[in-house]
Amino acid sequence: MATQFYSPRDLRFQLYEVLNAERLTKFDYFRDHDRESFDMVLDAARQISETVLKPLLTVMDRNEPQLVAGKIRVHPQMRSIIKKFGDDGWINAPFRYDEGGQQLPATIMNAATFIFGAANYSSSVFPFLTTGAANLLRSFGSAELIDRFTPKMYAGQWQGTMALTEPDAGSSLSDITTTAEPTDTPGTYQIRGQKIYISAGDHDAVENVVHLMLAKIKGGPAGAKGISLFAVPQQREENGQLVDNDVLTAGVYHKMGYKGAPIAHLMVGSNGGTIGYLVGEPHQGLRYMFQMMNEARVGVGMNAVSIGTAAYYASLEYARERPQGRPVSEKDPTRPQVPIIRHADVKRMLLFQKSVLEGSLSLLLYCSYLADLSHVADGDEKANAALLLDLLTPVAKSYPSEMGCLTTSAAVQVLGGAGYTTDFPVEQFYREARIHPIHEGTTGIHGLDLLGRKVTLQGGKGVQLLLAEIERTLVDARPYADLQPLADQLTAALGKLDAVTKHLLSLAPSDTEAFLADATLYLELFGIITIAWQWLRQATVAQKNLPAAAGDDVNFYQGKLMTARYFYEYELVKVYSLARRLQATDRVTLAMKGEWF
Amino acid sequence: MATQFYSPRDLRFQLYEVLNAERLTKFDYFRDHDRESFDMVLDAARQISETVLKPLLTVMDRNEPQLVAGKIRVHPQMRSIIKKFGDDGWINAPFRYDEGGQQLPATIMNAATFIFGAANYSSSVFPFLTTGAANLLRSFGSAELIDRFTPKMYAGQWQGTMALTEPDAGSSLSDITTTAEPTDTPGTYQIRGQKIYISAGDHDAVENVVHLMLAKIKGGPAGAKGISLFAVPQQREENGQLVDNDVLTAGVYHKMGYKGAPIAHLMVGSNGGTIGYLVGEPHQGLRYMFQMMNEARVGVGMNAVSIGTAAYYASLEYARERPQGRPVSEKDPTRPQVPIIRHADVKRMLLFQKSVLEGSLSLLLYCSYLADLSHVADGDEKANAALLLDLLTPVAKSYPSEMGCLTTSAAVQVLGGAGYTTDFPVEQFYREARIHPIHEGTTGIHGLDLLGRKVTLQGGKGVQLLLAEIERTLVDARPYADLQPLADQLTAALGKLDAVTKHLLSLAPSDTEAFLADATLYLELFGIITIAWQWLRQATVAQKNLPAAAGDDVNFYQGKLMTARYFYEYELVKVYSLARRLQATDRVTLAMKGEWF
């Protein structure tokens, strides 16, 4: 088992040297925080991760949740883990003091979830699903609903979930068929339907589960406009007693990875006995849900980076210790073998991982910072942060998710045959990483979101804000001659992006299908350039701080500079082929017919 | 469970319309064969696959081999399966009549292994490992050794293996430390050492295992020049009795996928009781082994395509049946949902799989045909076929292996959440596909082989032969106006390859490290262009045969033409970014230091 699973040094670099997270403490909402309190949070996250979560990484993979007598049985330690996350205040840490929260910035909270996810992704899913569900309730629910549900959720006694997907409504949420019929009690509905793929939808480590569930009130508008949001507990309170609310667990999914987390198939109201409590206004469910989506999606991107980072450090450790072969210029077979980290191709596979993961982490913390600004800043700063976050969210979710499949694959490859065996953790990370391009919106959905909605939002203002930010980075880099090749390459790539965007937008009015046919590739192009920008930000700081650095910091900054160069030389260069394809006029995927396959 | 797992129509197209496999029957060695006998072989392969192998696909994955009391226990049906492969003549089918074989072309044999692998890769490994081991024995062993071992191997009673890897010698075979000491009986040695990752290295579905094992005769030269080949049975014959030969099974590896096949860790001669029989001359072991390598590596590429193809058809079936969402131009949510195969992005993921897999199958059958020619042709044709096969082998092994990880990933993505569950077979294919870039030489090793050895072999004659073949394809395509865009794109890509190759070769004399630093990317570039060439071959035949086609064949040829276009538009275009990187001068991976990670 690899000992290191993330880099505290890099996290400090990202938060304090690149992002200047301490600036957040100037805002009133975060006034009680400072660098020291941030570090205490991150140290606490590290400690739980090392002592509690990471030791269970393998055993939770080998012992999947099972459905036993209608209840999903999870790893027996999950109960105390969820309780600890509640007791230590993690579940409601970002929320207000008057809610029992700590008014912790999302930036720091997400840095902590990065640590938890790198230690043991499955276990970290439980508490933070509750956070997401509670956030919906507190944002849109009545005071009474908040009072009824959130205290036990914050305490880790009750699990929260997001219950969206149905057998015939996955990517197409407008097609849900779960129904809600008003009862005699205002705000209270009888719910009937089926929900599938519900993460932590039922398990024996909590006393109750509260589903934030989408359903359609009978007689409402068709499609997405008729979707409402309900709180649907597994057991509801009646006269101070918990009584069964007719939410049955029909099954638990067995999955390729991420096995410690139970994913449930739920039958809701099969016996006519499910009560749901309307959250907010009728028919506003999808809007409410989507207001929380940015955060959930940044969270998924972060978890993709977590898993990739754990795999990277496992492969790095192996590469440093494993002797095999000799330099290609060494012909004497009697010379001792060298550690494989000496081979260029192994360094390439390590740099690939490092460049993608640290670039993605940088973007995700940046997006978390935007989320904080969109919450606590004022005026233009607030609005611009929200808009820029909207634009970047599909990228921040999808780039790390897609690339996490490739970085964990590179980790397996570094270990060779050993990497394919269960003797090392990298094969588990490879299996776990594969979920991220699927859940919280598939990559295809995010491509459509970016190109079809976000790029043109407010007349393209989001893109203008992004370009202004990138321009600021280019200006910051200008004093450093060594960074000019990177700045030039980034500028050239932006030219390509601009040309591609204009070309695609020119198709939009007359041919929606052609406009969006390659939206997934556009997302990829956009993602690569965004990460390249993040690397120029990091490289500029490293270049600035290197002269005064001492000890390990010299290696750290040199590593940053070299990894930035790697990203530009090996990854940014991919935009040329992508742009070529995106500007081509052969609409192969549209012309292809189903019967020709 | 998906019903279709490969396309018999495509296999016929590849073998008879593109490759003209029937031409092989003009050679004396294959004189008794004809199209009808080839088809009988393929039908037989299909029948075993459907009735015996495929039904065990999932159950073999869920019930891994276990080490019980020193013996690896595999699925109980493996004994009858291996026996059937023996009885039906599959194990020695390519060998001579006087050996009990059927003088079957490698082209047809490999087409059959493609079918077996698509049905159940793990199960297909057992018999064909025996074929490979027996081939070494019959090619280089004495008549006495051949008599002693091969009849029971051909009958499926004894398993054959290739025993190369050791704890400290994986990619670097010259570092093996297994020793051989002559005994009083000539040709007979006492063997001592450890072998790891030995596929089918021990199991209870056969009576005995014969390891074709590399070891160093004490006092011989250092490095690769001191490696000899031995036949080391698990039990040896003494006075007509089988007695224990001191080859102990120390462990069975548990792996991410491909779980039905047992991979053993062997202790050889721990009690001083292992006898090995020298195969051929002393110190020639690596040369012997490598003479068999081309075939084994083409076999690995083929199995990568097999797994990918099974995943492709599973995802195609799902895409045709699964309704979800509406066309992007449809705004009315009350209209029924459409099958996802109607969405451009789903078609893209299906075309990606189809183009990579059918392009790879075409290359692998072409390489099999070259193997046949290098065996039965005369003079220049024989020598050229052997040289071209040498050049193409690293590509034919690595391109399908690397891309198989991506095509199975695309299959998972087509199914979305369902694809991540064990309710569908695609997650298993995703796990199984990951072995291929590792075994039979990692992709990094093949990159070094291609650029460092094969490209310059015989003064670059292999590349010249390849270019002449491609030129022939361009000439064949010339009559068809619709194919000119492809021909032009291929010509332009060849120009890039030429420039890159010249650039890299110019570095070789002065800087070996720089010359080979990006050999893996060179292999990727070479692979994409090679597959593009295969697609032009296929497209030309499809274009030629389309006018006279009727019924399903019209769809088939239209599909071929569209898939060729897809490969050129979305895959071939990648050469531009690769060429840019390969011609760059920033040696990032060489400059990076271990302590900077």
Side-chain angles (χ1 to χ4, degrees):
Chain A
M1 182 64 63
T3 43
Q4 186 173 0
F5 57 100
Y6 78 104
S7 164
R9 177 69 189 92
D10 185 46
L11 203 50
R12 286 199 306 276
F13 171 77
Q14 304 260 13
L15 286 172
Y16 306 125
E17 297 173 60
V18 180
L19 198 58
N20 190 14
E22 288 159 280
R23 191 194 152 223
L24 291 170
T25 64
K26 308 277 186 252
F27 292 95
D28 189 56
Y29 188 80
F30 301 129
R31 66 182 177 277
D32 296 335
H33 288 283
D34 55 19
R35 161 94 184 238
E36 201 179 341
S37 72
F38 290 169
D39 283 343
M40 279 173 61
V41 169
L42 299 176
D43 284 348
R46 175 176 195 151
Q47 220 217 316
I48 305 176
S49 294
E50 284 179 346
T51 58
V52 182
L53 304 188
K54 192 152 190 299
L56 295 174
L57 174 69
T58 307
V59 70
M60 285 178 69
D61 181 64
R62 306 294 193 270
N63 300 279
E64 291 181 87
Q66 299 291 343
L67 184 62
V68 181
K71 169 65 75 183
I72 298 177
R73 189 178 288 171
V74 296
H75 191 278
Q77 267 185 263
M78 274 316 305
R79 180 174 285 265
S80 64
I81 290 172
I82 298 171
K83 182 80 171 21
K84 183 167 178 57
F85 273 88
D87 289 347
D88 291 0
W90 289 107
I91 295 173
N92 57 347
F95 304 157
R96 292 188 312 272
Y97 294 135
D98 64 25
E99 299 168 293
Q102 299 166 48
Q103 304 196 173
L104 187 69
T107 307
I108 304 303
M109 191 65 221
N110 283 345
T113 61
F114 163 70
I115 299 171
F116 296 135
N120 181 341
Y121 169 55
S122 290
S123 67
S124 74
V125 162
F126 296 77
F128 297 116
L129 275 171
T130 301
T131 303
N135 202 14
L136 267 175
L137 269 173
R138 67 188 273 276
S139 302
F140 306 109
S142 65
E144 198 228 319
L145 283 187
I146 294 170
D147 275 357
R148 183 180 305 176
F149 293 115
T150 61
K152 302 242 172 166
M153 293 169 81
Y154 296 154
Q157 292 172 274
W158 292 5
Q159 175 71 52
T161 84
M162 309 283 222
L164 287 69
T165 304
E166 299 182 5
D168 295 319
S171 291
S172 180
L173 273 179
S174 60
D175 287 287
I176 62 166
T177 59
T178 296
T179 57
E181 270 187 285
T183 69
D184 296 339
T185 313
T188 301
Y189 292 73
Q190 197 166 41
I191 312 287
R192 273 202 185 84
Q194 272 189 66
K195 292 287 174 180
I196 62 170
Y197 302 145
I198 306 308
S199 297
D202 172 41
H203 62 88
D204 61 352
V206 287
E207 296 157 21
N208 197 6
V209 180
V210 184
H211 303 289
L212 275 288
M213 189 177 289
L214 297 182
K216 289 184 172 174
I217 297 173
K218 283 193 174 177
K225 288 173 187 161
I227 296 175
S228 302
L229 179 65
F230 297 87
V232 180
Q234 197 174 51
Q235 300 173 78
R236 66 177 188 266
E237 268 183 287
E238 240 172 49
N239 308 319
Q241 297 282 323
L242 284 179
V243 301
D244 184 81
N245 197 35
D246 191 20
V247 180
L248 303 179
T249 303
V252 61
Y253 292 95
H254 296 288
K255 333 184 272 310
M256 174 158 57
Y258 157 51
K259 293 190 180 187
I263 312 297
H265 178 174
L266 304 176
M267 307 296 294
V268 184
S270 323
N271 306 307
T274 301
I275 296 297
Y277 307 92
L278 182 67
V279 178
E281 299 296 312
H283 312 320
Q284 298 299 315
L286 210 58
R287 186 171 67 80
Y288 297 157
M289 198 56 92
F290 272 90
Q291 274 178 264
M292 298 291 120
M293 281 285 176
N294 283 347
E295 288 172 36
R297 287 170 169 178
V298 168
V300 167
M302 193 60 98
N303 283 137
V305 177
S306 295
I307 293 169
T309 300
Y312 165 62
Y313 282 105
S315 70
L316 178 60
E317 181 175 288
Y318 186 88
R320 285 187 161 136
E321 292 174 358
R322 167 73 175 167
Q324 190 73 180
R326 293 165 187 81
V328 292
S329 49
E330 174 66 75
K331 301 295 180 204
D332 180 357
T334 64
R335 297 292 302 275
Q337 300 198 70
V338 299
I340 60 171
I341 201 170
R342 296 270 297 277
H343 301 311
D345 199 52
V346 172
K347 284 194 276 186
R348 183 185 60 77
M349 292 188 281
L350 293 170
L351 279 165
F352 169 66
Q353 295 177 68
K354 183 174 161 73
S355 70
V356 164
L357 296 165
E358 294 178 5
S360 297
L361 181 60
S362 178
L363 174 64
L364 287 157
L365 291 171
Y366 180 83
C367 286
S368 306
Y369 187 85
L370 292 177
D372 282 323
L373 290 182
S374 76
H375 178 211
V376 302
D378 300 305
D380 276 357
E381 184 173 25
K382 183 188 183 87
N384 289 347
L387 184 60
L388 191 48
L389 178 60
D390 257 2
L391 175 72
L392 289 175
T393 294
V395 178
K397 190 274 175 180
S398 300
Y399 180 89
S401 296
E402 286 289 332
M403 296 303 287
C405 297
L406 303 184
T407 64
T408 52
S409 184
V412 170
Q413 194 70 15
V414 167
L415 274 77
Y420 197 68
T421 72
T422 59
D423 297 342
F424 291 84
V426 288
E427 66 85 26
Q428 180 179 346
F429 296 132
Y430 182 70
R431 289 182 285 110
E432 302 211 328
R434 191 62 191 77
I435 188 59
H436 291 307
I438 296 171
H439 64 183
E440 283 294 340
T442 62
T443 302
I445 294 291
H446 286 289
L448 295 174
D449 183 44
L450 177 67
L451 181 59
R453 294 197 332 113
K454 300 298 177 62
V455 163
T456 53
L457 216 58
Q458 295 186 26
K461 191 178 169 197
V463 175
Q464 288 161 26
L465 290 169
L466 176 64
L467 293 175
E469 287 294 311
I470 297 176
E471 181 56 34
R472 198 160 305 146
T473 302
L474 289 166
V475 169
D476 289 346
R478 205 161 288 158
Y480 307 103
D482 286 356
L483 299 182
Q484 281 327 293
L486 306 192
D488 293 344
Q489 288 171 62
L490 181 57
T491 304
L494 286 167
K496 285 284 172 193
L497 177 62
D498 186 51
V500 166
T501 305
K502 285 187 175 129
H503 168 71
L504 293 175
L505 290 177
S506 77
L507 301 173
S510 61
D511 191 346
T512 314
E513 295 276 357
F515 167 48
L516 293 173
D518 284 331
T520 302
L521 299 191
Y522 182 79
L523 176 64
E524 186 182 348
L525 174 75
F526 205 106
I528 293 170
I529 291 173
T530 306
I531 300 299
W533 162 48
Q534 293 297 322
W535 267 113
L536 188 59
R537 293 177 72 221
Q538 296 186 60
T540 303
V541 175
Q543 193 72 262
K544 187 174 74 187
N545 294 353
L546 182 58
D552 288 346
D553 268 2
V554 177
N555 287 337
F556 177 80
Y557 291 125
Q558 292 281 19
K560 280 287 173 190
L561 291 167
M562 199 56 77
T563 310
R565 270 168 62 188
Y566 178 88
F567 192 87
Y568 277 69
E569 286 290 322
Y570 288 79
E571 292 299 313
L572 182 59
V573 74
K574 291 178 180 168
V575 303
Y576 292 96
S577 291
L578 281 166
R580 223 175 149 102
R581 166 58 215 155
L582 285 161
Q583 292 178 286
T585 53
D586 190 343
R587 310 260 170 256
V588 188
T589 58
L590 297 180
M592 184 72 181
K593 295 185 180 171
E595 61 270 28
W596 292 352
F597 280 102
Chain B
M1 180 65 63
T3 43
Q4 186 174 1
F5 57 100
Y6 78 103
S7 163
R9 176 68 188 91
D10 185 46
L11 204 49
R12 284 198 306 274
F13 172 76
Q14 304 261 11
L15 287 172
Y16 305 126
E17 297 174 60
V18 180
L19 197 59
N20 190 13
E22 287 158 280
R23 191 194 150 222
L24 290 170
T25 65
K26 308 275 186 257
F27 292 95
D28 189 55
Y29 188 81
F30 300 129
R31 67 184 175 277
D32 295 334
H33 288 284
D34 54 22
R35 162 97 184 237
E36 200 180 340
S37 72
F38 290 169
D39 283 343
M40 279 174 62
V41 169
L42 300 176
D43 284 347
R46 176 175 195 152
Q47 219 219 316
I48 304 176
S49 295
E50 285 180 345
T51 58
V52 182
L53 304 188
K54 193 153 188 300
L56 296 175
L57 174 70
T58 307
V59 70
M60 284 179 68
D61 181 63
R62 306 294 192 270
N63 299 278
E64 291 182 88
Q66 300 291 341
L67 184 61
V68 182
K71 168 67 74 184
I72 297 177
R73 189 178 288 171
V74 295
H75 191 278
Q77 267 185 265
M78 275 316 306
R79 180 174 285 265
S80 65
I81 291 172
I82 299 171
K83 181 79 171 22
K84 182 166 179 56
F85 273 89
D87 289 347
D88 292 359
W90 290 107
I91 295 173
N92 56 348
F95 303 157
R96 293 190 312 274
Y97 294 135
D98 64 26
E99 297 168 292
Q102 298 164 49
Q103 304 197 173
L104 186 70
T107 306
I108 304 303
M109 190 66 223
N110 284 345
T113 61
F114 162 71
I115 298 171
F116 296 136
N120 181 340
Y121 170 53
S122 290
S123 68
S124 75
V125 162
F126 296 78
F128 298 116
L129 276 170
T130 301
T131 303
N135 202 13
L136 267 174
L137 269 174
R138 65 187 274 278
S139 302
F140 306 110
S142 64
E144 199 227 317
L145 284 186
I146 295 170
D147 275 357
R148 183 179 305 177
F149 292 115
T150 60
K152 301 240 172 163
M153 294 169 81
Y154 296 154
Q157 291 172 276
W158 292 7
Q159 175 72 53
T161 85
M162 308 283 220
L164 286 68
T165 303
E166 298 181 5
D168 295 320
S171 291
S172 181
L173 272 180
S174 60
D175 287 286
I176 63 166
T177 60
T178 296
T179 57
E181 270 188 283
T183 67
D184 295 340
T185 312
T188 303
Y189 291 72
Q190 199 165 40
I191 313 288
R192 272 204 185 80
Q194 273 190 64
K195 293 288 173 179
I196 62 171
Y197 302 145
I198 306 308
S199 297
D202 172 39
H203 63 87
D204 62 352
V206 288
E207 296 157 21
N208 196 9
V209 180
V210 184
H211 303 289
L212 274 288
M213 189 177 288
L214 297 181
K216 288 183 173 174
I217 298 172
K218 283 195 172 174
K225 289 174 187 160
I227 295 175
S228 302
L229 179 64
F230 297 88
V232 180
Q234 198 174 50
Q235 300 173 79
R236 68 177 187 268
E237 269 182 286
E238 237 172 50
N239 307 321
Q241 297 280 325
L242 284 179
V243 301
D244 184 81
N245 196 35
D246 192 20
V247 180
L248 303 178
T249 304
V252 61
Y253 292 94
H254 296 288
K255 330 184 274 307
M256 172 158 57
Y258 159 48
K259 293 190 180 187
I263 313 295
H265 178 173
L266 303 176
M267 307 295 293
V268 184
S270 323
N271 305 308
T274 301
I275 295 298
Y277 306 92
L278 182 67
V279 178
E281 299 295 312
H283 313 319
Q284 300 298 315
L286 211 57
R287 186 170 67 80
Y288 296 158
M289 198 58 91
F290 272 90
Q291 275 180 262
M292 298 292 118
M293 280 286 175
N294 283 347
E295 288 172 34
R297 287 169 169 178
V298 167
V300 167
M302 192 61 96
N303 284 137
V305 176
S306 295
I307 293 169
T309 300
Y312 164 62
Y313 281 105
S315 69
L316 178 60
E317 181 174 287
Y318 186 89
R320 286 187 161 137
E321 292 173 359
R322 167 76 175 165
Q324 191 72 181
R326 293 166 188 79
V328 292
S329 49
E330 173 66 74
K331 301 294 177 204
D332 180 356
T334 64
R335 296 292 302 276
Q337 300 199 69
V338 299
I340 60 171
I341 199 169
R342 296 270 298 275
H343 301 311
D345 200 51
V346 172
K347 285 194 275 185
R348 185 186 59 77
M349 293 189 279
L350 292 171
L351 279 165
F352 169 67
Q353 296 178 67
K354 183 174 162 74
S355 71
V356 165
L357 295 165
E358 294 178 4
S360 297
L361 181 59
S362 178
L363 174 64
L364 287 157
L365 291 172
Y366 180 84
C367 286
S368 306
Y369 187 84
L370 292 177
D372 282 323
L373 290 182
S374 76
H375 178 209
V376 302
D378 300 304
D380 275 358
E381 184 173 27
K382 182 188 184 86
N384 289 348
L387 184 60
L388 191 49
L389 178 59
D390 256 3
L391 174 73
L392 289 175
T393 294
V395 178
K397 192 273 174 182
S398 299
Y399 180 89
S401 296
E402 286 288 332
M403 297 303 288
C405 297
L406 304 183
T407 64
T408 53
S409 184
V412 170
Q413 193 71 14
V414 167
L415 274 77
Y420 198 67
T421 71
T422 58
D423 297 342
F424 290 86
V426 289
E427 67 85 25
Q428 179 179 345
F429 296 132
Y430 183 70
R431 291 183 283 110
E432 301 211 330
R434 191 61 190 79
I435 188 59
H436 291 306
I438 297 171
H439 64 182
E440 283 293 340
T442 63
T443 302
I445 293 291
H446 286 290
L448 295 174
D449 182 44
L450 177 67
L451 182 59
R453 295 196 334 112
K454 298 298 177 60
V455 163
T456 52
L457 216 58
Q458 297 188 24
K461 191 179 169 196
V463 175
Q464 289 161 25
L465 289 169
L466 175 64
L467 293 174
E469 287 293 312
I470 297 176
E471 180 56 33
R472 200 160 304 147
T473 302
L474 289 166
V475 169
D476 289 346
R478 205 160 289 159
Y480 306 103
D482 287 356
L483 300 182
Q484 282 326 292
L486 306 192
D488 292 346
Q489 289 172 63
L490 181 57
T491 304
L494 287 168
K496 284 285 173 194
L497 177 62
D498 185 51
V500 166
T501 305
K502 284 186 177 132
H503 168 71
L504 293 175
L505 290 178
S506 77
L507 302 172
S510 61
D511 192 345
T512 313
E513 294 277 356
F515 166 48
L516 293 173
D518 285 331
T520 301
L521 299 191
Y522 182 79
L523 176 63
E524 187 181 349
L525 174 75
F526 206 105
I528 292 169
I529 292 173
T530 305
I531 301 298
W533 162 49
Q534 294 296 323
W535 268 113
L536 189 57
R537 292 177 72 219
Q538 294 186 61
T540 303
V541 174
Q543 193 71 264
K544 188 175 72 187
N545 294 352
L546 181 58
D552 288 346
D553 268 3
V554 176
N555 287 337
F556 178 80
Y557 291 125
Q558 291 282 17
K560 280 287 172 188
L561 290 168
M562 199 57 78
T563 310
R565 270 167 63 186
Y566 178 88
F567 193 87
Y568 277 69
E569 285 291 323
Y570 289 78
E571 293 299 312
L572 181 59
V573 74
K574 292 180 178 167
V575 303
Y576 292 97
S577 292
L578 281 166
R580 224 175 148 102
R581 167 57 215 156
L582 284 162
Q583 292 179 285
T585 53
D586 189 342
R587 311 260 169 257
V588 188
T589 58
L590 297 180
M592 184 71 181
K593 294 184 181 172
E595 60 271 28
W596 292 352
F597 279 102

